[in-house]
Structures are given as structure tokens and as C-alpha cells.
Amino acid sequence: MTTAAQLTRNHDALEVVTDFLTVSTPDAWFQVAAEQLPILLIDHANCEKKAASTALSMMYRYVEHPQLLQKMSSLAREELRHFEQVLDLMTDHGIVYKQINSARYAQGLHQLVSKAEPKRLVDLLICGAVVEARSCERFAGLTKVLPEKVASLYQSLLNSEARHFQEYLRLAESANQQAGGYAELSERIDEFLAADAHLVTSVDAQFRFHSGVPGA
């Protein structure tokens, strides 16, 4: 059962996220999500697995950043727990986990990531913040259109995604200050937000957790 206190926390967390993002997910995406539950859950499981993998990868690459190591270690464990929860939900609904190709969303954002340090680290952290913010926003919308048991899981995950977004953003700010990355970090963040807005509002031929507007 979702308590009143949890609903308040989720509302506050969502407000921070929506203030950050520049556009909302189009209603058409949520309409298709309600009809494509197996694909939604399979791709969501893939996203959680990828999020854990990304956190571990950063732990190996950036060993000289102790604060980042601590946060990424915690995040990887939490993302894997979310992965397990989605797998349990798939089992409950008789959904078989299979290989599917990923959305163009993550690749589209990663095209902006610098190949040179220290800007590369800052960009990766900004990218992580944007992805987590978008996931949080979609979780909130999905709670309104999905079956109760699935909606309940997304309601429970909403606050953690908002927290991950804020942690990534704080790490990006810290790394940028320490390493001398961008003179105007806010302008760089705006570039990633513009890419996010384009990717979620343009037409996609396939439906995925982070896809754009479903179309032919």
C-alpha cells in the first residue's frame, strides 16, 4: 500500500524532475505503453541492467574519484535490485524475457559525450542525470495507465529515480569544478536536455521504454 507520506515524497520528487526537463512525454507514448506491457517490461529490465552496468563501468574508469565510487557502487546495487523486481513482475504476468533491440534514446544522448577528459566524465554524469530524470517522469505517467500491480512497482521506483537524477547532477557539478571542465555547465546541460526533448517528441518506428512518439 502506498502511504500518504510516500505520495507526498513522490510528488515533491516529481516536481523537481519536471522543473528540470524541458518537455513532457507525449500522451501518445503512454497510450501505447498500456497496450505493450510485455515490451515495456522487457525493455525496462534491460534499462535497469544497463544502468547498473554503466555505474560499474564508471567505477572502473574513474578510480581517482572517491565520492563517485561510493555513489556508483550504491547505485549499481539499487539498479540491480530494480532489475530483479521487474523480472519478478514479468514472471507474475507470464512474460518471457527475450532479446530485443534498444531504443535510439541512449545512443542519441551519448553522441554528445566528449571523447576527451575531463569533459567526458562531466558529460557522462549529465547524461546519467537526464536519463534518470526522464525515467522518473515516465514512471509517474505509467502509474496512471497500467494495471494496479505494475503501477504499484512504478510508484515505488519513482522516488529513487528522482534521487539518482539529483545524485548524478551533483556529481557532474562537483567533477566540473574540480577538473575544470566547462566554463558554463548550465549551457552544457541545456544541450543534453535539448537532445532529450527531440528524442522523446520525435516519431519512433518501435516502442521502447525511452522511445519517442510511436509511429509507422
Side-chain angles (χ1 to χ4, degrees):
M1 178 186 298
T2 303
T3 65
Q6 183 181 357
L7 287 172
T8 299
R9 288 195 300 272
N10 286 351
H11 173 78
D12 293 342
L14 182 60
E15 188 173 16
V16 173
V17 165
T18 54
D19 285 346
F20 175 72
L21 296 171
T22 60
V23 299
S24 300
T25 295
D27 290 340
W29 184 88
F30 290 109
Q31 293 170 8
V32 173
E35 303 164 359
Q36 297 281 349
L37 185 61
I39 294 298
L40 177 71
L41 291 179
I42 290 170
D43 199 47
H44 180 191
N46 287 343
C47 289
E48 298 289 1
K49 190 164 52 174
K50 177 62 176 176
S53 175
T54 297
L56 290 171
S57 176
M58 294 185 73
M59 289 175 65
Y60 278 103
R61 187 181 181 103
Y62 298 106
V63 296
E64 71 277 19
H65 295 271
Q67 183 184 18
L68 181 144
L69 293 177
Q70 291 284 354
K71 292 293 184 182
M72 290 301 107
S73 177
S74 175
L75 189 145
R77 293 195 302 274
E78 195 168 0
E79 300 289 18
L80 285 175
R81 176 55 187 149
H82 295 169
F83 171 71
E84 294 165 2
Q85 290 175 283
V86 178
L87 285 185
D88 289 342
L89 201 57
M90 288 166 58
T91 299
D92 291 344
H93 285 78
I95 297 170
V96 177
Y97 198 179
K98 62 181 180 180
Q99 294 287 351
I100 62 172
N101 58 338
S102 58
R104 62 194 174 98
Y105 178 80
Q107 183 180 3
L109 290 181
H110 275 273
Q111 287 178 353
L112 291 176
V113 174
S114 174
K115 292 180 171 56
E117 299 292 358
K119 291 182 177 179
R120 180 176 177 80
L121 170 58
V122 177
D123 283 349
L124 287 171
L125 293 167
I126 294 172
C127 188
V130 173
V131 172
E132 296 288 347
R134 180 58 62 188
S135 298
C136 178
E137 185 257 358
R138 292 205 161 174
F139 284 158
L142 286 168
T143 62
K144 303 172 184 177
V145 300
L146 295 181
E148 182 178 355
K149 193 166 186 178
V150 186
S152 179
L153 173 63
Y154 285 149
Q155 185 74 49
S156 71
L157 296 181
L158 191 158
N159 198 54
S160 64
E161 296 299 293
R163 175 167 42 79
H164 293 169
F165 143 65
Q166 292 174 306
E167 288 173 347
Y168 266 116
L169 201 56
R170 281 193 290 266
L171 286 170
E173 292 168 350
S174 176
N176 194 63
Q177 290 176 352
Q178 292 175 10
Y182 295 98
E184 295 294 337
L185 183 62
S186 61
E187 292 180 2
R188 187 57 174 164
I189 293 171
D190 286 344
E191 292 181 43
F192 278 88
L193 287 173
D196 163 82
H198 171 74
L199 289 163
V200 301
T201 57
S202 57
V203 175
D204 260 328
Q206 63 181 8
F207 172 80
R208 294 292 185 269
F209 187 83
H210 284 120
S211 59
V213 179

